[in-house]
mmCIF file of all heavy atoms in Angstrom:
data_model
loop_
_atom_site.group_PDB
_atom_site.id
_atom_site.type_symbol
_atom_site.label_atom_id
_atom_site.label_comp_id
_atom_site.label_asym_id
_atom_site.label_seq_id
_atom_site.Cartn_x
_atom_site.Cartn_y
_atom_site.Cartn_z
ATOM 1 N N GLY A 105 -8.972 18.409 1.072
ATOM 2 C CA GLY A 105 -8.308 17.341 1.831
ATOM 3 C C GLY A 105 -6.985 17.004 1.163
ATOM 4 O O GLY A 105 -6.409 15.943 1.399
ATOM 5 N N VAL A 106 -6.311 17.859 0.411
ATOM 6 C CA VAL A 106 -4.996 17.636 -0.156
ATOM 7 C C VAL A 106 -4.008 18.064 0.874
ATOM 8 O O VAL A 106 -4.027 19.246 1.443
ATOM 9 C CB VAL A 106 -4.815 18.537 -1.447
ATOM 10 C CG1 VAL A 106 -3.445 18.365 -1.944
ATOM 11 C CG2 VAL A 106 -5.775 18.216 -2.614
ATOM 12 N N GLU A 107 -3.062 17.153 1.239
ATOM 13 C CA GLU A 107 -1.981 17.497 2.214
ATOM 14 C C GLU A 107 -0.911 18.298 1.676
ATOM 15 O O GLU A 107 -0.409 17.850 0.647
ATOM 16 C CB GLU A 107 -1.552 16.174 2.851
ATOM 17 C CG GLU A 107 -0.607 16.361 3.965
ATOM 18 C CD GLU A 107 -0.011 14.959 4.528
ATOM 19 O OE1 GLU A 107 -0.676 13.982 4.270
ATOM 20 O OE2 GLU A 107 0.987 15.020 5.273
ATOM 21 N N THR A 108 -0.586 19.355 2.166
ATOM 22 C CA THR A 108 0.554 20.189 1.544
ATOM 23 C C THR A 108 1.774 20.088 2.330
ATOM 24 O O THR A 108 1.771 20.185 3.526
ATOM 25 C CB THR A 108 0.025 21.773 1.673
ATOM 26 O OG1 THR A 108 -1.338 21.879 1.123
ATOM 27 C CG2 THR A 108 0.975 22.582 0.709
ATOM 28 N N PHE A 109 2.807 19.836 1.586
ATOM 29 C CA PHE A 109 4.180 19.795 2.179
ATOM 30 C C PHE A 109 4.820 21.162 1.718
ATOM 31 O O PHE A 109 5.016 21.256 0.472
ATOM 32 C CB PHE A 109 5.067 18.660 1.693
ATOM 33 C CG PHE A 109 4.611 17.367 2.233
ATOM 34 C CD1 PHE A 109 3.683 16.630 1.593
ATOM 35 C CD2 PHE A 109 5.395 16.857 3.363
ATOM 36 C CE1 PHE A 109 3.308 15.354 2.014
ATOM 37 C CE2 PHE A 109 4.986 15.564 3.789
ATOM 38 C CZ PHE A 109 3.976 14.880 3.161
ATOM 39 N N HIS A 110 5.236 22.080 2.461
ATOM 40 C CA HIS A 110 5.908 23.282 2.202
ATOM 41 C C HIS A 110 7.388 23.115 2.108
ATOM 42 O O HIS A 110 8.115 23.502 2.963
ATOM 43 C CB HIS A 110 5.469 24.378 3.142
ATOM 44 C CG HIS A 110 4.032 24.843 3.183
ATOM 45 N ND1 HIS A 110 3.511 25.633 2.190
ATOM 46 C CD2 HIS A 110 3.046 24.327 3.932
ATOM 47 C CE1 HIS A 110 2.189 25.671 2.309
ATOM 48 N NE2 HIS A 110 1.849 24.995 3.459
ATOM 49 N N ALA A 111 7.698 22.264 1.115
ATOM 50 C CA ALA A 111 9.089 21.812 1.035
ATOM 51 C C ALA A 111 9.398 21.509 -0.455
ATOM 52 O O ALA A 111 8.502 21.199 -1.188
ATOM 53 C CB ALA A 111 9.410 20.661 1.973
ATOM 54 N N ARG A 112 10.730 21.343 -0.779
ATOM 55 C CA ARG A 112 11.143 20.877 -2.037
ATOM 56 C C ARG A 112 10.970 19.303 -1.984
ATOM 57 O O ARG A 112 11.193 18.679 -0.996
ATOM 58 C CB ARG A 112 12.593 21.219 -2.381
ATOM 59 C CG ARG A 112 13.165 20.707 -3.560
ATOM 60 C CD ARG A 112 14.450 21.360 -3.864
ATOM 61 N NE ARG A 112 15.099 20.734 -5.130
ATOM 62 C CZ ARG A 112 14.730 21.091 -6.390
ATOM 63 N NH1 ARG A 112 13.922 22.047 -6.567
ATOM 64 N NH2 ARG A 112 15.376 20.482 -7.392
ATOM 65 N N ALA A 113 10.566 18.835 -3.192
ATOM 66 C CA ALA A 113 10.420 17.351 -3.334
ATOM 67 C C ALA A 113 11.318 16.872 -4.330
ATOM 68 O O ALA A 113 11.558 17.545 -5.445
ATOM 69 C CB ALA A 113 8.890 16.993 -3.505
ATOM 70 N N THR A 114 11.901 15.711 -4.232
ATOM 71 C CA THR A 114 12.602 15.042 -5.354
ATOM 72 C C THR A 114 12.198 13.536 -5.413
ATOM 73 O O THR A 114 11.663 12.939 -4.494
ATOM 74 C CB THR A 114 14.242 15.130 -5.038
ATOM 75 O OG1 THR A 114 14.485 14.642 -3.813
ATOM 76 C CG2 THR A 114 14.645 16.556 -5.105
ATOM 77 N N LEU A 115 12.490 12.971 -6.635
ATOM 78 C CA LEU A 115 12.118 11.570 -6.750
ATOM 79 C C LEU A 115 13.405 10.682 -6.436
ATOM 80 O O LEU A 115 14.503 10.997 -6.835
ATOM 81 C CB LEU A 115 11.882 11.320 -8.199
ATOM 82 C CG LEU A 115 10.493 12.065 -8.776
ATOM 83 C CD1 LEU A 115 10.478 12.202 -10.253
ATOM 84 C CD2 LEU A 115 9.305 11.287 -8.134
ATOM 85 N N VAL A 116 13.136 9.655 -5.673
ATOM 86 C CA VAL A 116 14.233 8.846 -5.277
ATOM 87 C C VAL A 116 14.099 7.352 -5.700
ATOM 88 O O VAL A 116 14.888 6.527 -5.372
ATOM 89 C CB VAL A 116 14.506 8.898 -3.684
ATOM 90 C CG1 VAL A 116 15.138 10.162 -3.348
ATOM 91 C CG2 VAL A 116 13.179 8.626 -2.945
ATOM 92 N N GLY A 117 12.964 7.077 -6.407
ATOM 93 C CA GLY A 117 12.801 5.687 -6.901
ATOM 94 C C GLY A 117 11.344 5.587 -7.415
ATOM 95 O O GLY A 117 10.653 6.583 -7.457
ATOM 96 N N GLU A 118 10.987 4.356 -7.896
ATOM 97 C CA GLU A 118 9.662 4.254 -8.448
ATOM 98 C C GLU A 118 8.554 4.542 -7.414
ATOM 99 O O GLU A 118 8.412 3.797 -6.400
ATOM 100 C CB GLU A 118 9.557 2.807 -9.044
ATOM 101 C CG GLU A 118 8.199 2.662 -9.606
ATOM 102 C CD GLU A 118 7.915 1.279 -10.271
ATOM 103 O OE1 GLU A 118 9.078 0.674 -10.617
ATOM 104 O OE2 GLU A 118 6.895 0.877 -10.548
ATOM 105 N N GLY A 119 7.896 5.679 -7.707
ATOM 106 C CA GLY A 119 6.752 6.100 -6.735
ATOM 107 C C GLY A 119 7.246 6.496 -5.399
ATOM 108 O O GLY A 119 6.521 6.506 -4.390
ATOM 109 N N ARG A 120 8.556 6.828 -5.314
ATOM 110 C CA ARG A 120 9.110 7.274 -3.995
ATOM 111 C C ARG A 120 9.601 8.670 -4.111
ATOM 112 O O ARG A 120 10.322 9.039 -4.953
ATOM 113 C CB ARG A 120 10.338 6.340 -3.543
ATOM 114 C CG ARG A 120 9.727 5.013 -3.107
ATOM 115 C CD ARG A 120 10.848 3.962 -2.980
ATOM 116 N NE ARG A 120 12.014 4.410 -2.362
ATOM 117 C CZ ARG A 120 13.219 4.029 -2.840
ATOM 118 N NH1 ARG A 120 13.429 3.189 -3.862
ATOM 119 N NH2 ARG A 120 14.331 4.512 -2.314
ATOM 120 N N VAL A 121 9.176 9.467 -3.068
ATOM 121 C CA VAL A 121 9.440 10.906 -3.070
ATOM 122 C C VAL A 121 10.129 11.341 -1.830
ATOM 123 O O VAL A 121 9.530 10.985 -0.797
ATOM 124 C CB VAL A 121 8.071 11.767 -3.374
ATOM 125 C CG1 VAL A 121 8.381 13.085 -3.243
ATOM 126 C CG2 VAL A 121 7.283 11.320 -4.576
ATOM 127 N N ALA A 122 11.204 12.158 -2.013
ATOM 128 C CA ALA A 122 11.838 12.569 -0.722
ATOM 129 C C ALA A 122 11.242 14.018 -0.486
ATOM 130 O O ALA A 122 11.482 14.819 -1.389
ATOM 131 C CB ALA A 122 13.371 12.682 -0.858
ATOM 132 N N VAL A 123 10.760 14.323 0.660
ATOM 133 C CA VAL A 123 10.096 15.613 0.957
ATOM 134 C C VAL A 123 10.225 16.007 2.324
ATOM 135 O O VAL A 123 9.817 15.101 3.211
ATOM 136 C CB VAL A 123 8.733 15.709 0.327
ATOM 137 C CG1 VAL A 123 7.786 14.662 0.964
ATOM 138 C CG2 VAL A 123 8.120 17.124 0.479
ATOM 139 N N GLY A 124 10.669 17.109 2.787
ATOM 140 C CA GLY A 124 10.758 17.623 4.068
ATOM 141 C C GLY A 124 11.377 16.676 4.910
ATOM 142 O O GLY A 124 10.904 16.430 6.117
ATOM 143 N N GLY A 125 12.457 16.005 4.571
ATOM 144 C CA GLY A 125 13.237 15.094 5.530
ATOM 145 C C GLY A 125 12.653 13.811 5.558
ATOM 146 O O GLY A 125 13.132 12.905 6.413
ATOM 147 N N ARG A 126 11.583 13.472 4.895
ATOM 148 C CA ARG A 126 10.902 12.136 4.884
ATOM 149 C C ARG A 126 10.987 11.437 3.525
ATOM 150 O O ARG A 126 11.187 12.201 2.579
ATOM 151 C CB ARG A 126 9.535 12.317 5.278
ATOM 152 C CG ARG A 126 9.254 12.530 6.675
ATOM 153 C CD ARG A 126 7.739 12.946 6.935
ATOM 154 N NE ARG A 126 6.710 12.006 6.312
ATOM 155 C CZ ARG A 126 5.462 12.301 6.270
ATOM 156 N NH1 ARG A 126 4.906 13.363 6.609
ATOM 157 N NH2 ARG A 126 4.643 11.318 5.829
ATOM 158 N N GLU A 127 10.587 10.184 3.472
ATOM 159 C CA GLU A 127 10.424 9.655 2.220
ATOM 160 C C GLU A 127 8.951 9.081 2.131
ATOM 161 O O GLU A 127 8.510 8.427 3.102
ATOM 162 C CB GLU A 127 11.312 8.451 2.023
ATOM 163 C CG GLU A 127 11.447 8.062 0.603
ATOM 164 C CD GLU A 127 12.469 6.920 0.425
ATOM 165 O OE1 GLU A 127 13.571 7.079 0.744
ATOM 166 O OE2 GLU A 127 12.045 5.909 -0.173
ATOM 167 N N VAL A 128 8.170 9.372 1.104
ATOM 168 C CA VAL A 128 6.855 8.935 1.068
ATOM 169 C C VAL A 128 6.593 8.167 -0.266
ATOM 170 O O VAL A 128 7.473 8.297 -1.123
ATOM 171 C CB VAL A 128 5.834 10.034 1.192
ATOM 172 C CG1 VAL A 128 5.804 10.792 2.443
ATOM 173 C CG2 VAL A 128 5.881 10.979 -0.045
ATOM 174 N N THR A 129 5.595 7.324 -0.337
ATOM 175 C CA THR A 129 5.283 6.650 -1.554
ATOM 176 C C THR A 129 4.003 7.006 -2.141
ATOM 177 O O THR A 129 3.103 7.493 -1.442
ATOM 178 C CB THR A 129 5.353 5.097 -1.282
ATOM 179 O OG1 THR A 129 4.356 4.850 -0.227
ATOM 180 C CG2 THR A 129 6.671 4.630 -0.821
ATOM 181 N N ALA A 130 3.823 6.892 -3.458
ATOM 182 C CA ALA A 130 2.612 7.210 -4.098
ATOM 183 C C ALA A 130 2.463 6.268 -5.334
ATOM 184 O O ALA A 130 3.413 5.880 -6.032
ATOM 185 C CB ALA A 130 2.693 8.648 -4.563
ATOM 186 N N ARG A 131 1.253 5.996 -5.668
ATOM 187 C CA ARG A 131 0.872 5.170 -6.907
ATOM 188 C C ARG A 131 1.275 5.898 -8.146
ATOM 189 O O ARG A 131 1.763 5.423 -9.067
ATOM 190 C CB ARG A 131 -0.513 4.835 -6.839
ATOM 191 C CG ARG A 131 -0.940 3.641 -5.809
ATOM 192 C CD ARG A 131 -2.182 2.951 -6.333
ATOM 193 N NE ARG A 131 -3.346 3.854 -6.366
ATOM 194 C CZ ARG A 131 -4.113 3.986 -7.394
ATOM 195 N NH1 ARG A 131 -3.989 3.277 -8.518
ATOM 196 N NH2 ARG A 131 -5.263 4.780 -7.377
ATOM 197 N N HIS A 132 0.918 7.263 -8.069
ATOM 198 C CA HIS A 132 1.215 8.076 -9.212
ATOM 199 C C HIS A 132 1.792 9.354 -8.772
ATOM 200 O O HIS A 132 1.536 9.991 -7.706
ATOM 201 C CB HIS A 132 -0.066 8.495 -9.979
ATOM 202 C CG HIS A 132 -0.732 7.277 -10.717
ATOM 203 N ND1 HIS A 132 -0.371 6.852 -11.884
ATOM 204 C CD2 HIS A 132 -1.733 6.514 -10.296
ATOM 205 C CE1 HIS A 132 -1.065 5.853 -12.304
ATOM 206 N NE2 HIS A 132 -1.906 5.673 -11.361
ATOM 207 N N VAL A 133 2.786 9.931 -9.561
ATOM 208 C CA VAL A 133 3.486 11.093 -9.210
ATOM 209 C C VAL A 133 3.386 12.093 -10.366
ATOM 210 O O VAL A 133 3.460 11.596 -11.594
ATOM 211 C CB VAL A 133 5.013 10.980 -8.880
ATOM 212 C CG1 VAL A 133 5.615 12.190 -8.593
ATOM 213 C CG2 VAL A 133 5.095 9.931 -7.642
ATOM 214 N N LEU A 134 3.023 13.321 -10.248
ATOM 215 C CA LEU A 134 3.062 14.320 -11.221
ATOM 216 C C LEU A 134 4.094 15.363 -10.930
ATOM 217 O O LEU A 134 4.178 15.947 -9.861
ATOM 218 C CB LEU A 134 1.606 15.080 -11.067
ATOM 219 C CG LEU A 134 1.500 16.330 -11.923
ATOM 220 C CD1 LEU A 134 1.603 15.937 -13.418
ATOM 221 C CD2 LEU A 134 0.200 17.065 -11.768
ATOM 222 N N VAL A 135 4.848 15.564 -11.987
ATOM 223 C CA VAL A 135 5.860 16.645 -11.985
ATOM 224 C C VAL A 135 5.127 17.964 -12.604
ATOM 225 O O VAL A 135 4.861 17.779 -13.818
ATOM 226 C CB VAL A 135 7.102 16.303 -12.766
ATOM 227 C CG1 VAL A 135 8.084 17.413 -12.584
ATOM 228 C CG2 VAL A 135 7.670 15.078 -12.072
ATOM 229 N N ALA A 136 4.951 18.998 -11.759
ATOM 230 C CA ALA A 136 4.361 20.123 -12.299
ATOM 231 C C ALA A 136 5.211 21.330 -11.723
ATOM 232 O O ALA A 136 4.637 22.233 -11.064
ATOM 233 C CB ALA A 136 2.912 20.246 -11.835
ATOM 234 N N THR A 137 6.484 21.238 -12.007
ATOM 235 C CA THR A 137 7.497 22.188 -11.415
ATOM 236 C C THR A 137 7.720 23.415 -12.138
ATOM 237 O O THR A 137 8.511 24.341 -11.809
ATOM 238 C CB THR A 137 8.815 21.423 -11.079
ATOM 239 O OG1 THR A 137 9.198 20.792 -12.355
ATOM 240 C CG2 THR A 137 8.749 20.340 -10.134
ATOM 241 N N GLY A 138 7.015 23.559 -13.333
ATOM 242 C CA GLY A 138 7.147 24.797 -13.960
ATOM 243 C C GLY A 138 8.534 25.041 -14.700
ATOM 244 O O GLY A 138 9.209 24.258 -15.055
ATOM 245 N N ALA A 139 8.762 26.402 -14.856
ATOM 246 C CA ALA A 139 9.946 26.890 -15.466
ATOM 247 C C ALA A 139 10.577 27.991 -14.699
ATOM 248 O O ALA A 139 9.856 28.672 -13.785
ATOM 249 C CB ALA A 139 9.774 27.307 -17.020
ATOM 250 N N ARG A 140 11.775 28.470 -15.097
ATOM 251 C CA ARG A 140 12.418 29.619 -14.326
ATOM 252 C C ARG A 140 13.019 30.481 -15.407
ATOM 253 O O ARG A 140 13.373 29.972 -16.508
ATOM 254 C CB ARG A 140 13.371 29.077 -13.346
ATOM 255 C CG ARG A 140 14.570 28.390 -13.914
ATOM 256 C CD ARG A 140 15.620 27.971 -12.869
ATOM 257 N NE ARG A 140 16.698 27.384 -13.566
ATOM 258 C CZ ARG A 140 16.738 26.180 -14.022
ATOM 259 N NH1 ARG A 140 15.621 25.431 -13.993
ATOM 260 N NH2 ARG A 140 17.792 25.605 -14.687
ATOM 261 N N PRO A 141 13.269 31.759 -15.087
ATOM 262 C CA PRO A 141 13.776 32.710 -16.030
ATOM 263 C C PRO A 141 15.298 32.312 -16.430
ATOM 264 O O PRO A 141 15.989 31.818 -15.472
ATOM 265 C CB PRO A 141 13.769 34.052 -15.361
ATOM 266 C CG PRO A 141 12.992 33.898 -14.150
ATOM 267 C CD PRO A 141 12.914 32.432 -13.815
ATOM 268 N N LEU A 142 15.551 32.378 -17.610
ATOM 269 C CA LEU A 142 16.875 32.093 -18.067
ATOM 270 C C LEU A 142 17.915 33.267 -17.747
ATOM 271 O O LEU A 142 17.519 34.447 -18.177
ATOM 272 C CB LEU A 142 16.959 31.815 -19.467
ATOM 273 C CG LEU A 142 18.306 31.519 -20.238
ATOM 274 C CD1 LEU A 142 18.823 30.146 -19.707
ATOM 275 C CD2 LEU A 142 18.083 31.510 -21.690
ATOM 276 N N VAL A 143 18.979 33.061 -17.271
ATOM 277 C CA VAL A 143 20.080 34.237 -17.148
ATOM 278 C C VAL A 143 21.224 33.650 -17.776
ATOM 279 O O VAL A 143 21.715 32.629 -17.439
ATOM 280 C CB VAL A 143 20.248 34.571 -15.646
ATOM 281 C CG1 VAL A 143 21.470 35.490 -15.525
ATOM 282 C CG2 VAL A 143 19.112 35.050 -14.825
ATOM 283 N N PRO A 144 21.661 34.272 -18.808
ATOM 284 C CA PRO A 144 22.763 33.706 -19.607
ATOM 285 C C PRO A 144 24.073 33.563 -18.820
ATOM 286 O O PRO A 144 24.417 34.378 -18.041
ATOM 287 C CB PRO A 144 23.013 34.878 -20.713
ATOM 288 C CG PRO A 144 22.025 35.915 -20.407
ATOM 289 C CD PRO A 144 21.227 35.741 -19.262
#
Side-chain angles (χ1 to χ4, degrees):
V106 175
E107 189 179 340
T108 310
F109 289 86
H110 294 279
R112 180 170 172 80
T114 54
L115 293 162
V116 288
E118 179 171 341
R120 283 169 40 219
V121 179
V123 58
R126 282 169 57 188
E127 196 179 305
V128 299
T129 56
R131 284 203 297 129
H132 292 279
V133 176
L134 171 62
V135 181
T137 49
R140 64 180 183 285
L142 175 73
V143 175

